[in-house]
Amino acid sequence: MPEVDKADRRPAIEAKNVSKVFQGAAQDRVTALDAVSVTIRENEFFTLLGPSGCGKTTLLRLIAGFDFPTEGEILLYGEDIAPLPPHKRPVNTVFQSYALFPHMTVGQNIGFGLEMLGKSKAETAARVDQMLKLVQMQELKNRRTSQISGGQQQRVALARALAPHPKVLLLDEPLSALDYKLRKEMQIELKRLQHETGITFIFVTQDQEEALTMSDRIAVMSRGKILQIGSPREIYDRPAERFVANFIGETNFLEGDTVSTQADRAMVRLPGGATVDAGLPQGLKPSGKVTVVVRPEHADIVKAGQPATLAGALSNIVYFGTDTHFHVALDTGGEFIVRHQNSRGNESAFAVGEKVGIAFEPDAAQVLRD
Amino acid sequence: MANAGNFSVRRLTGFTTIAIICFLSLYTPILTLVIFSFNAGTSIAIWEGFSWRWYERAWANEQVQEAALRSLQIASFAAIVATTFATMAAIATTRTRPFRGLTAIYAFVNTPLMVPEIVTAIALLIFFASIKVATGYTGLGYLLAAHTAFCIPFAYLPIRARLESMDLTLETAAADLYATPWRAFTRVTLPLLWPGIIGGLMLAFVISLDDVVITELVKSAGQETLPTYMLGQFRRVVTPEMNAISAVFLGISILIVTLFFFLTRKRN
Ligand SMILES: Nc1ncnc2c1ncn2[C@@H]1O[C@H](COP(=O)(O)OP(=O)(O)OP(=O)(O)O)[C@@H](O)[C@H]1O
Ligand SMILES: [Mg+2]
């Protein structure tokens, strides 16, 4: 499929400085969202990624209209949706618990939205069949929702939310209740559905791998704030914050000193004396001490004496099948992990205890904003 | 549940004996009553052989017919009206944000459960008496109003329980799928609430059907219900006809209560 450039598409959802404060019992207030601003474009597969309690569901509920922002506004195709109750918003939700109507059949569930929109019986029936086909559930049309498996319920929930062809589909951790294999299948299925329907998806997950494999763009959230928005590659290769670097994949953290800075790069002197050319998060002008991150697979282990950025002793070798992790105790203190992809004929030529060097690939280092 | 496997109330000394005594004292009189409803003789204590004669006689008794019909009328009316009110009250107390005075409403709805029946009865007697004096109306309205009132809390309980155990995201999902609040209610909440409503209806029906004290004090002349008629008869000659009426009455009550349990247990 030709990769369309989704960057020039129209904004579908714009959140502007949206805050949500829950007034709990007595004096305690929970700031579930703290001045969140984000633009989600038409036809985008956009993921909200973050740990439990960071405000993902809250943001979805504000978009769907089940709750109202304490501050800020949300625009749908440029229009403020604050005055619209949930049943007037062209936005549908796939609930984490699916929330299928237990007193209706699979077909009736899928047709519910169309019926409420006042579509004719014939149109509804045709669309229900089309949706059933889309999620490959034709033979289960007349089953009760309590008589189908979890994965099938998931598909019905999806079909039900897609049937009225919403402008935006909200998916709140839709795959978290499924087992590993089914989850992998559904990930592919979801991507396909998004591609075929052309609907904007806002997808919530706590699983970084899921976010990386499925999304056009990811917003990483923590404690009610969006920390970084970017493509999976940007988020993974260029984490801007310690939280992002930590939450997604494995990372080595190094303390260094800024030597010089340019527009989006900086020369950083690492412990041990070597200087690296590191990427900078947008708008950061560092000076003095900085933290630099390097992904384990963006570094290589070399024999002592060969050109290297860091030096240390091999403290552990862990074999993972597809790759091997070399744990290096740095001479300047701390540990650095190098990941090496395994292939036939490159069995490790290193032994635990041996003195080694660590060589960075070009562009491996990234400065954090902290 | 560390001790669940070890502790059993059944092993306490004398438990079985006490349980048997309890059951016997509860059910022996009822069993005796039912047995003697089939007595061929006129005694309610000396067995003279099996017969249906008292059932036939009760069936043909015009006073019994009239009282039974009135009982059914009152119970049906009270159950339906009380359940309607109870449904509205249950929705108002579970599907709105907590508001000031919510506790007061709970208390208000449930008070009839706590006030001694005789107190309610006397209060109603005095209250209705003044209305009777003022308006001259002596129809069935007083009984209907009284029964409706004391049935409301009984109808309210199963409906509220059902509403509280219902998954709220279902209603949210309906709203998400373009259902107006009214349609979300009629298409999702109400169908899922039916077992609770039917349960409330049946409970209210039985409670109204069984009532003696309030009816006795509120009824005007010639407004006997089945229980008050029976009470009146016991003050005179007692024949197994009373046993037969009681047995049928008992059967109906048991039937409705059993149905109620099945309905509220199933489909949870
Ligand atoms: N109705 C509410 N009243 C009070 N606090 C709430 C309410 N809803 C959410 N919160 C709080 O707001 C914060 C964000 O909640 P939210 O449900 O958005 O998290 P989440 O990112 O979806 O988490 P999870 O991944 O566990 O679903 C949490 O601290 C939560 O306790
Ligand atoms: Mg959530």
Side-chain angles (χ1 to χ4, degrees):
Chain A
M1 59 188 92
E3 197 39 58
V4 278
D5 190 5
K6 293 179 178 173
D8 345 303
R9 301 213 178 213
R10 290 192 289 167
I13 291 277
E14 290 166 89
K16 294 188 169 167
N17 264 308
V18 171
S19 294
K20 176 70 190 177
V21 179
F22 287 108
Q23 188 72 60
Q27 253 68 43
D28 62 348
R29 293 150 58 88
V30 183
T31 306
L33 288 176
D34 188 359
V36 165
S37 292
V38 58
T39 301
I40 296 157
R41 300 193 194 97
E42 188 166 51
N43 194 15
E44 208 175 14
F45 197 116
F46 192 91
T47 298
L48 300 172
L49 172 66
S52 188
C54 71
K56 306 179 297 288
T57 299
T58 305
L59 185 53
L60 289 195
R61 288 177 57 85
L62 295 184
I63 296 172
F66 308 141
D67 252 321
F68 298 97
T70 315
E71 261 171 63
E73 55 176 1
I74 297 172
L75 309 183
L76 177 70
Y77 285 94
E79 268 177 59
D80 189 357
I81 49 172
L84 297 182
H87 68 271
K88 294 209 175 124
R89 298 189 183 191
V91 170
N92 288 153
T93 307
V94 177
F95 294 87
Q96 185 167 0
S97 56
Y98 310 148
L100 298 178
F101 304 126
H103 57 298
M104 297 181 196
T105 64
V106 166
Q108 287 166 336
N109 263 278
I110 296 174
F112 188 83
L114 298 161
E115 199 192 320
M116 292 300 122
L117 284 172
K119 303 279 186 230
S120 71
K121 280 225 162 64
E123 192 183 344
T124 303
R127 183 96 178 120
V128 166
D129 286 338
Q130 189 192 343
M131 294 317 298
L132 282 166
K133 206 164 143 207
L134 192 67
V135 295
Q136 293 149 23
M137 297 260 308
Q138 292 101 310
E139 48 322 330
L140 299 178
K141 181 176 175 183
N142 294 317
R143 285 271 189 95
R144 290 242 158 205
T145 55
S146 54
Q147 297 166 334
I148 56 177
S149 73
Q152 290 166 338
Q153 289 179 12
Q154 167 66 72
R155 283 162 197 270
V156 176
L158 253 168
R160 185 179 71 172
L162 282 170
H165 207 91
K167 293 221 165 89
V168 177
L169 186 72
L170 309 174
L171 303 104
D172 194 355
E173 303 192 37
L175 309 183
S176 62
L178 305 180
D179 65 44
Y180 182 80
K181 198 163 161 278
L182 205 52
R183 195 155 75 229
K184 291 283 155 205
E185 274 175 39
M186 282 306 294
Q187 287 177 3
I188 295 165
E189 182 89 7
L190 270 179
K191 269 307 260 189
R192 177 179 72 81
L193 282 174
Q194 199 257 339
H195 189 77
E196 284 178 15
T197 56
I199 292 173
T200 309
F201 276 34
I202 305 181
F203 180 84
V204 163
T205 181
Q206 300 188 29
D207 180 343
Q208 44 114 359
E209 193 188 319
E210 194 165 280
L212 291 175
T213 52
M214 300 178 73
S215 320
D216 291 320
R217 285 194 307 151
I218 299 170
V220 183
M221 295 183 68
S222 168
R223 298 158 169 245
K225 285 193 160 79
I226 292 185
L227 298 182
Q228 189 174 358
I229 302 175
S231 67
R233 254 231 118 81
E234 280 161 3
I235 296 280
Y236 186 80
D237 286 350
R238 302 257 161 261
E241 313 248 353
R242 184 176 290 266
F243 179 88
V244 177
N246 249 329
F247 193 72
I248 297 167
E250 273 181 288
T251 297
N252 296 295
F253 293 92
L254 298 165
E255 305 302 322
D257 291 296
T258 319
V259 178
S260 64
T261 62
Q262 290 160 15
D264 59 348
R265 309 206 61 80
M267 296 302 288
V268 178
R269 182 176 300 112
L270 297 178
T275 304
V276 290
D277 181 13
L280 288 180
Q282 221 181 9
L284 185 70
K285 279 259 166 278
S287 61
K289 292 234 169 280
V290 288
T291 304
V292 166
V293 287
V294 179
R295 295 285 182 193
E297 65 275 21
H298 294 163
D300 237 329
I301 190 157
V302 297
K303 292 280 180 193
Q306 289 191 285
T309 316
L310 300 168
L314 204 51
S315 63
N316 202 2
I317 301 176
V318 186
Y319 177 73
F320 277 101
T322 55
D323 47 32
T324 304
H325 289 191
F326 297 94
H327 294 242
V328 179
L330 297 176
D331 291 344
T332 51
E335 189 183 59
F336 194 102
I337 299 174
V338 173
R339 183 185 299 153
H340 194 85
Q341 174 108 41
N342 293 330
S343 63
R344 290 260 178 227
N346 78 342
E347 277 96 64
S348 170
F350 297 92
V352 171
E354 188 181 339
K355 281 276 177 197
V356 291
I358 296 168
F360 289 2
E361 289 173 4
D363 210 21
Q366 169 75 8
V367 174
L368 291 186
R369 187 202 304 266
D370 63 357
Chain B
M1 287 235 220
N3 282 327
N6 300 328
F7 177 76
S8 165
V9 74
R10 269 183 288 171
R11 287 207 210 120
L12 290 182
T13 347
F15 174 81
T16 320
T17 324
I18 293 173
I20 289 173
I21 291 174
C22 285
F23 277 112
L24 282 182
S25 56
L26 258 176
Y27 290 107
T28 319
I30 296 179
L31 204 65
T32 319
L33 175 135
V34 175
I35 291 171
F36 277 94
S37 69
F38 297 107
N39 197 358
T42 53
S43 165
I44 57 163
I46 304 158
W47 185 251
E48 291 172 36
F50 180 90
S51 122
W52 286 102
R53 66 182 270 214
W54 298 110
Y55 283 89
E56 285 156 13
R57 182 145 161 192
W59 185 251
N61 184 333
E62 265 172 34
Q63 278 175 304
V64 173
Q65 286 174 2
E66 199 188 309
L69 197 65
R70 190 171 293 111
S71 270
L72 290 178
Q73 279 171 348
I74 295 174
S76 309
F77 177 90
I80 291 169
V81 178
T83 305
T84 310
F85 282 133
T87 305
M88 294 194 282
I91 288 166
T93 49
T94 54
R95 285 298 185 276
T96 50
R97 283 168 186 283
F99 53 91
R100 281 174 71 102
L102 187 62
T103 331
I105 291 181
Y106 276 140
F108 192 67
V109 172
N110 288 315
T111 310
L113 294 178
M114 289 174 280
V115 178
E117 201 183 351
I118 186 71
V119 175
T120 313
I122 292 172
L124 286 171
L125 171 71
I126 296 168
F127 181 63
F128 287 150
S130 57
I131 298 182
K132 273 183 208 175
V133 170
T135 62
Y137 173 70
T138 54
L140 208 55
Y142 301 111
L143 274 179
L144 295 178
H147 277 238
T148 303
F150 72 72
C151 282
I152 288 177
F154 293 98
Y156 174 78
L157 289 177
I159 298 173
R160 175 165 162 225
R162 183 84 195 173
L163 272 169
E164 278 183 342
S165 67
M166 207 186 282
D167 183 4
L168 274 179
T169 44
L170 293 177
E171 288 159 39
T172 312
D176 188 60
L177 291 161
Y178 313 105
T180 59
W182 172 247
R183 300 195 83 185
F185 176 72
T186 54
R187 293 297 311 277
V188 175
T189 315
L190 203 54
L192 293 172
L193 195 56
W194 267 125
I197 293 177
I198 301 285
L201 201 67
M202 293 195 307
L203 208 54
F205 188 82
V206 173
I207 296 290
S208 164
L209 208 60
D210 292 358
D211 180 72
V212 180
V213 180
I214 291 176
T215 314
E216 185 68 32
L217 268 69
V218 169
K219 72 177 169 45
S220 306
Q223 293 184 345
E224 300 289 355
T225 63
L226 201 52
T228 61
Y229 167 77
M230 286 160 69
L231 199 64
Q233 290 304 301
F234 270 107
R235 295 198 183 119
R236 300 182 205 150
V237 203
V238 179
T239 64
E241 187 185 344
M242 281 303 113
N243 296 43
I245 299 171
S246 302
V248 172
F249 201 22
L250 177 72
I252 293 172
S253 287
I254 289 177
L255 188 74
I256 295 176
V257 173
T258 312
L259 273 175
F260 165 77
F261 274 111
F262 270 107
L263 259 172
T264 42
R265 279 244 191 104
K266 244 175 58 178
R267 284 210 277 165
N268 260 340

Short mmCIF file of all heavy atoms in Angstrom, two decimals, chain A residues 78-122:
data_model
loop_
_atom_site.label_atom_id
_atom_site.label_comp_id
_atom_site.label_asym_id
_atom_site.label_seq_id
_atom_site.Cartn_x
_atom_site.Cartn_y
_atom_site.Cartn_z
N GLY A 78 -12.68 21.50 13.57
CA GLY A 78 -12.70 22.95 13.75
C GLY A 78 -13.84 23.51 14.56
O GLY A 78 -13.88 24.70 14.84
N GLU A 79 -14.80 22.63 14.96
CA GLU A 79 -15.93 23.15 15.72
C GLU A 79 -15.90 22.70 17.16
O GLU A 79 -15.67 21.52 17.44
CB GLU A 79 -17.25 22.70 15.09
CG GLU A 79 -17.78 23.67 14.08
CD GLU A 79 -19.05 23.15 13.43
OE1 GLU A 79 -20.03 22.90 14.17
OE2 GLU A 79 -19.05 22.96 12.20
N ASP A 80 -16.17 23.63 18.05
CA ASP A 80 -16.20 23.32 19.47
C ASP A 80 -17.35 22.34 19.75
O ASP A 80 -18.50 22.62 19.41
CB ASP A 80 -16.41 24.61 20.26
CG ASP A 80 -16.23 24.40 21.75
OD1 ASP A 80 -16.01 23.23 22.16
OD2 ASP A 80 -16.31 25.38 22.51
N ILE A 81 -17.03 21.18 20.36
CA ILE A 81 -18.10 20.20 20.58
C ILE A 81 -18.69 20.27 21.98
O ILE A 81 -19.54 19.46 22.33
CB ILE A 81 -17.62 18.75 20.30
CG1 ILE A 81 -16.32 18.46 21.02
CG2 ILE A 81 -17.50 18.50 18.82
CD1 ILE A 81 -15.92 17.01 20.94
N ALA A 82 -18.24 21.25 22.76
CA ALA A 82 -18.73 21.36 24.14
C ALA A 82 -20.27 21.33 24.23
O ALA A 82 -20.81 20.69 25.13
CB ALA A 82 -18.16 22.60 24.81
N PRO A 83 -21.00 22.02 23.33
CA PRO A 83 -22.46 22.03 23.51
C PRO A 83 -23.15 20.72 23.12
O PRO A 83 -24.33 20.56 23.38
CB PRO A 83 -22.94 23.15 22.57
CG PRO A 83 -21.72 23.75 21.97
CD PRO A 83 -20.58 22.84 22.20
N LEU A 84 -22.42 19.80 22.48
CA LEU A 84 -23.07 18.58 22.00
C LEU A 84 -23.08 17.48 23.06
O LEU A 84 -22.03 17.11 23.58
CB LEU A 84 -22.36 18.04 20.76
CG LEU A 84 -22.34 18.92 19.51
CD1 LEU A 84 -21.64 18.18 18.38
CD2 LEU A 84 -23.77 19.26 19.09
N PRO A 85 -24.27 16.92 23.37
CA PRO A 85 -24.31 15.76 24.26
C PRO A 85 -23.76 14.54 23.50
O PRO A 85 -23.68 14.57 22.27
CB PRO A 85 -25.80 15.60 24.57
CG PRO A 85 -26.51 16.25 23.44
CD PRO A 85 -25.61 17.34 22.94
N PRO A 86 -23.40 13.47 24.24
CA PRO A 86 -22.76 12.31 23.59
C PRO A 86 -23.55 11.79 22.39
O PRO A 86 -22.95 11.41 21.38
CB PRO A 86 -22.72 11.25 24.68
CG PRO A 86 -22.94 11.95 25.96
CD PRO A 86 -23.54 13.28 25.67
N HIS A 87 -24.88 11.77 22.48
CA HIS A 87 -25.64 11.15 21.40
C HIS A 87 -25.71 12.02 20.16
O HIS A 87 -26.28 11.61 19.14
CB HIS A 87 -27.04 10.73 21.88
CG HIS A 87 -27.95 11.87 22.23
ND1 HIS A 87 -28.00 12.41 23.48
CD2 HIS A 87 -28.85 12.54 21.49
CE1 HIS A 87 -28.89 13.38 23.49
NE2 HIS A 87 -29.42 13.48 22.30
N LYS A 88 -25.15 13.23 20.23
CA LYS A 88 -25.13 14.06 19.02
C LYS A 88 -23.72 14.18 18.45
O LYS A 88 -23.52 14.89 17.48
CB LYS A 88 -25.67 15.44 19.35
CG LYS A 88 -27.15 15.40 19.73
CD LYS A 88 -27.85 16.70 19.38
CE LYS A 88 -29.33 16.59 19.66
NZ LYS A 88 -29.79 17.65 20.57
N ARG A 89 -22.75 13.50 19.07
CA ARG A 89 -21.38 13.59 18.55
C ARG A 89 -21.12 12.45 17.58
O ARG A 89 -21.36 11.29 17.90
CB ARG A 89 -20.38 13.52 19.71
CG ARG A 89 -20.53 14.66 20.67
CD ARG A 89 -19.41 14.72 21.68
NE ARG A 89 -19.68 15.81 22.61
CZ ARG A 89 -18.83 16.29 23.49
NH1 ARG A 89 -17.61 15.76 23.58
NH2 ARG A 89 -19.15 17.27 24.30
N PRO A 90 -20.59 12.78 16.40
CA PRO A 90 -20.31 11.73 15.42
C PRO A 90 -19.04 10.97 15.77
O PRO A 90 -18.12 10.84 14.97
CB PRO A 90 -20.16 12.52 14.11
CG PRO A 90 -19.70 13.87 14.54
CD PRO A 90 -20.25 14.12 15.90
N VAL A 91 -19.00 10.50 16.99
CA VAL A 91 -17.83 9.83 17.55
C VAL A 91 -18.34 8.56 18.22
O VAL A 91 -19.33 8.61 18.93
CB VAL A 91 -17.17 10.74 18.61
CG1 VAL A 91 -16.10 10.00 19.38
CG2 VAL A 91 -16.60 12.00 17.98
N ASN A 92 -17.72 7.43 17.97
CA ASN A 92 -18.14 6.20 18.63
C ASN A 92 -16.99 5.60 19.43
O ASN A 92 -15.83 5.86 19.15
CB ASN A 92 -18.64 5.16 17.63
CG ASN A 92 -20.00 5.54 17.05
OD1 ASN A 92 -20.35 5.18 15.95
ND2 ASN A 92 -20.75 6.32 17.80
N THR A 93 -17.36 4.80 20.42
CA THR A 93 -16.38 4.26 21.34
C THR A 93 -16.41 2.74 21.37
O THR A 93 -17.49 2.15 21.34
CB THR A 93 -16.67 4.78 22.77
OG1 THR A 93 -16.76 6.19 22.74
CG2 THR A 93 -15.57 4.37 23.73
N VAL A 94 -15.23 2.13 21.41
CA VAL A 94 -15.14 0.70 21.73
C VAL A 94 -14.69 0.64 23.18
O VAL A 94 -13.59 1.05 23.51
CB VAL A 94 -14.11 -0.02 20.83
CG1 VAL A 94 -13.98 -1.48 21.24
CG2 VAL A 94 -14.51 0.10 19.38
N PHE A 95 -15.59 0.18 24.05
CA PHE A 95 -15.31 0.22 25.47
C PHE A 95 -14.39 -0.93 25.88
O PHE A 95 -14.41 -2.00 25.27
CB PHE A 95 -16.61 0.14 26.27
CG PHE A 95 -17.48 1.35 26.08
CD1 PHE A 95 -18.38 1.41 25.03
CD2 PHE A 95 -17.39 2.43 26.93
CE1 PHE A 95 -19.17 2.53 24.83
CE2 PHE A 95 -18.17 3.55 26.74
CZ PHE A 95 -19.07 3.60 25.69
N GLN A 96 -13.63 -0.67 26.92
CA GLN A 96 -12.69 -1.67 27.41
C GLN A 96 -13.43 -2.95 27.80
O GLN A 96 -12.97 -4.05 27.55
CB GLN A 96 -11.92 -1.12 28.60
CG GLN A 96 -10.85 -2.05 29.09
CD GLN A 96 -9.88 -1.37 30.04
OE1 GLN A 96 -10.00 -0.20 30.35
NE2 GLN A 96 -8.91 -2.12 30.52
N SER A 97 -14.62 -2.77 28.39
CA SER A 97 -15.40 -3.94 28.81
C SER A 97 -16.37 -4.38 27.70
O SER A 97 -17.24 -5.18 27.95
CB SER A 97 -16.19 -3.57 30.06
OG SER A 97 -17.00 -2.44 29.79
N TYR A 98 -16.22 -3.81 26.52
CA TYR A 98 -17.06 -4.05 25.35
C TYR A 98 -18.46 -3.44 25.48
O TYR A 98 -18.98 -2.88 24.54
CB TYR A 98 -17.19 -5.54 24.99
CG TYR A 98 -15.88 -6.27 24.89
CD1 TYR A 98 -15.78 -7.61 25.24
CD2 TYR A 98 -14.73 -5.61 24.48
CE1 TYR A 98 -14.56 -8.28 25.17
CE2 TYR A 98 -13.51 -6.27 24.41
CZ TYR A 98 -13.44 -7.60 24.75
OH TYR A 98 -12.24 -8.24 24.69
N ALA A 99 -19.08 -3.60 26.68
CA ALA A 99 -20.41 -3.04 26.92
C ALA A 99 -21.41 -3.43 25.84
O ALA A 99 -22.20 -2.61 25.38
CB ALA A 99 -20.35 -1.51 27.07
N LEU A 100 -21.42 -4.68 25.44
CA LEU A 100 -22.43 -5.16 24.49
C LEU A 100 -23.76 -5.29 25.22
O LEU A 100 -23.80 -5.63 26.40
CB LEU A 100 -22.01 -6.51 23.91
CG LEU A 100 -20.70 -6.51 23.12
CD1 LEU A 100 -20.38 -7.91 22.64
CD2 LEU A 100 -20.76 -5.55 21.95
N PHE A 101 -24.85 -5.02 24.50
CA PHE A 101 -26.16 -5.11 25.13
C PHE A 101 -26.54 -6.58 25.27
O PHE A 101 -26.72 -7.29 24.27
CB PHE A 101 -27.20 -4.37 24.30
CG PHE A 101 -26.84 -2.93 24.05
CD1 PHE A 101 -26.80 -2.41 22.78
CD2 PHE A 101 -26.52 -2.11 25.13
CE1 PHE A 101 -26.46 -1.08 22.56
CE2 PHE A 101 -26.18 -0.78 24.93
CZ PHE A 101 -26.14 -0.27 23.64
N PRO A 102 -26.68 -7.06 26.52
CA PRO A 102 -26.88 -8.50 26.72
C PRO A 102 -28.24 -8.99 26.26
O PRO A 102 -28.42 -10.18 26.06
CB PRO A 102 -26.71 -8.67 28.24
CG PRO A 102 -26.95 -7.33 28.82
CD PRO A 102 -26.61 -6.32 27.77
N HIS A 103 -29.21 -8.08 26.11
CA HIS A 103 -30.56 -8.52 25.73
C HIS A 103 -30.76 -8.47 24.22
O HIS A 103 -31.88 -8.61 23.74
CB HIS A 103 -31.60 -7.69 26.45
CG HIS A 103 -31.47 -6.21 26.20
ND1 HIS A 103 -30.35 -5.49 26.55
CD2 HIS A 103 -32.31 -5.33 25.63
CE1 HIS A 103 -30.52 -4.23 26.20
NE2 HIS A 103 -31.70 -4.11 25.64
N MET A 104 -29.68 -8.23 23.48
CA MET A 104 -29.81 -8.17 22.03
C MET A 104 -28.87 -9.17 21.37
O MET A 104 -27.87 -9.56 21.96
CB MET A 104 -29.45 -6.77 21.52
CG MET A 104 -30.34 -5.68 22.04
SD MET A 104 -29.83 -4.10 21.34
CE MET A 104 -30.66 -2.99 22.44
N THR A 105 -29.20 -9.54 20.14
CA THR A 105 -28.32 -10.43 19.40
C THR A 105 -27.13 -9.64 18.86
O THR A 105 -27.10 -8.41 18.94
CB THR A 105 -29.05 -11.06 18.21
OG1 THR A 105 -29.40 -10.01 17.31
CG2 THR A 105 -30.29 -11.81 18.64
N VAL A 106 -26.19 -10.36 18.30
CA VAL A 106 -25.02 -9.74 17.68
C VAL A 106 -25.46 -8.72 16.63
O VAL A 106 -25.02 -7.57 16.61
CB VAL A 106 -24.13 -10.84 17.06
CG1 VAL A 106 -23.10 -10.24 16.12
CG2 VAL A 106 -23.45 -11.64 18.17
N GLY A 107 -26.39 -9.15 15.77
CA GLY A 107 -26.87 -8.28 14.71
C GLY A 107 -27.56 -7.04 15.25
O GLY A 107 -27.34 -5.93 14.76
N GLN A 108 -28.39 -7.22 16.28
CA GLN A 108 -29.10 -6.07 16.86
C GLN A 108 -28.14 -5.09 17.51
O GLN A 108 -28.33 -3.88 17.46
CB GLN A 108 -30.12 -6.56 17.90
CG GLN A 108 -31.33 -7.22 17.28
CD GLN A 108 -32.15 -7.99 18.30
OE1 GLN A 108 -31.66 -8.40 19.34
NE2 GLN A 108 -33.42 -8.18 17.99
N ASN A 109 -27.09 -5.64 18.14
CA ASN A 109 -26.07 -4.78 18.73
C ASN A 109 -25.44 -3.90 17.66
O ASN A 109 -25.30 -2.70 17.83
CB ASN A 109 -24.98 -5.62 19.41
CG ASN A 109 -25.21 -5.77 20.90
OD1 ASN A 109 -24.86 -4.88 21.67
ND2 ASN A 109 -25.79 -6.88 21.31
N ILE A 110 -25.07 -4.53 16.55
CA ILE A 110 -24.36 -3.79 15.50
C ILE A 110 -25.28 -2.76 14.86
O ILE A 110 -24.86 -1.67 14.48
CB ILE A 110 -23.79 -4.78 14.45
CG1 ILE A 110 -22.75 -5.68 15.12
CG2 ILE A 110 -23.17 -4.04 13.28
CD1 ILE A 110 -22.22 -6.78 14.24
N GLY A 111 -26.57 -3.10 14.77
CA GLY A 111 -27.51 -2.18 14.13
C GLY A 111 -28.02 -1.07 15.04
O GLY A 111 -28.67 -0.14 14.56
N PHE A 112 -27.69 -1.15 16.33
CA PHE A 112 -28.28 -0.21 17.30
C PHE A 112 -28.05 1.26 16.93
O PHE A 112 -28.98 2.06 16.91
CB PHE A 112 -27.74 -0.50 18.70
CG PHE A 112 -28.42 0.27 19.79
CD1 PHE A 112 -29.60 -0.16 20.34
CD2 PHE A 112 -27.86 1.46 20.27
CE1 PHE A 112 -30.23 0.55 21.34
CE2 PHE A 112 -28.49 2.19 21.26
CZ PHE A 112 -29.68 1.73 21.80
N GLY A 113 -26.80 1.59 16.63
CA GLY A 113 -26.47 2.98 16.32
C GLY A 113 -27.21 3.49 15.10
O GLY A 113 -27.74 4.61 15.09
N LEU A 114 -27.31 2.64 14.08
CA LEU A 114 -27.99 3.04 12.84
C LEU A 114 -29.46 3.26 13.10
O LEU A 114 -30.08 4.21 12.60
CB LEU A 114 -27.80 1.94 11.78
CG LEU A 114 -26.35 1.70 11.39
CD1 LEU A 114 -26.19 0.34 10.73
CD2 LEU A 114 -25.88 2.80 10.47
N GLU A 115 -30.03 2.36 13.93
CA GLU A 115 -31.44 2.47 14.26
C GLU A 115 -31.70 3.79 14.99
O GLU A 115 -32.66 4.49 14.70
CB GLU A 115 -31.79 1.28 15.16
CG GLU A 115 -33.25 0.98 15.24
CD GLU A 115 -33.52 -0.01 16.36
OE1 GLU A 115 -32.71 -0.96 16.52
OE2 GLU A 115 -34.50 0.19 17.08
N MET A 116 -30.81 4.13 15.92
CA MET A 116 -30.98 5.36 16.67
C MET A 116 -30.82 6.58 15.77
O MET A 116 -31.40 7.63 16.03
CB MET A 116 -29.95 5.44 17.81
CG MET A 116 -30.17 4.42 18.90
SD MET A 116 -31.77 4.59 19.70
CE MET A 116 -32.47 2.99 19.41
N LEU A 117 -30.05 6.43 14.71
CA LEU A 117 -29.88 7.54 13.77
C LEU A 117 -31.08 7.66 12.84
O LEU A 117 -31.14 8.57 12.01
CB LEU A 117 -28.60 7.34 12.95
CG LEU A 117 -27.28 7.63 13.67
CD1 LEU A 117 -26.11 7.21 12.81
CD2 LEU A 117 -27.17 9.11 14.02
N GLY A 118 -32.01 6.70 12.96
CA GLY A 118 -33.22 6.77 12.16
C GLY A 118 -33.06 6.23 10.74
O GLY A 118 -33.83 6.58 9.85
N LYS A 119 -32.06 5.37 10.54
CA LYS A 119 -31.88 4.78 9.21
C LYS A 119 -33.02 3.78 8.96
O LYS A 119 -33.57 3.19 9.90
CB LYS A 119 -30.55 4.04 9.13
CG LYS A 119 -29.35 4.93 9.43
CD LYS A 119 -28.96 5.77 8.23
CE LYS A 119 -27.69 6.52 8.50
NZ LYS A 119 -27.76 7.94 8.19
N SER A 120 -33.32 3.57 7.70
CA SER A 120 -34.40 2.64 7.37
C SER A 120 -33.97 1.21 7.71
O SER A 120 -32.78 0.92 7.83
CB SER A 120 -34.72 2.72 5.88
OG SER A 120 -33.65 2.14 5.15
N LYS A 121 -34.97 0.34 7.86
CA LYS A 121 -34.71 -1.06 8.21
C LYS A 121 -33.79 -1.70 7.18
O LYS A 121 -32.84 -2.41 7.52
CB LYS A 121 -36.04 -1.83 8.25
CG LYS A 121 -36.79 -1.62 9.54
CD LYS A 121 -37.31 -2.97 10.07
CE LYS A 121 -37.67 -2.88 11.54
NZ LYS A 121 -38.79 -1.95 11.79
N ALA A 122 -34.08 -1.43 5.90
CA ALA A 122 -33.31 -2.05 4.83
C ALA A 122 -31.86 -1.59 4.87
O ALA A 122 -30.93 -2.39 4.78
CB ALA A 122 -33.94 -1.70 3.49
#
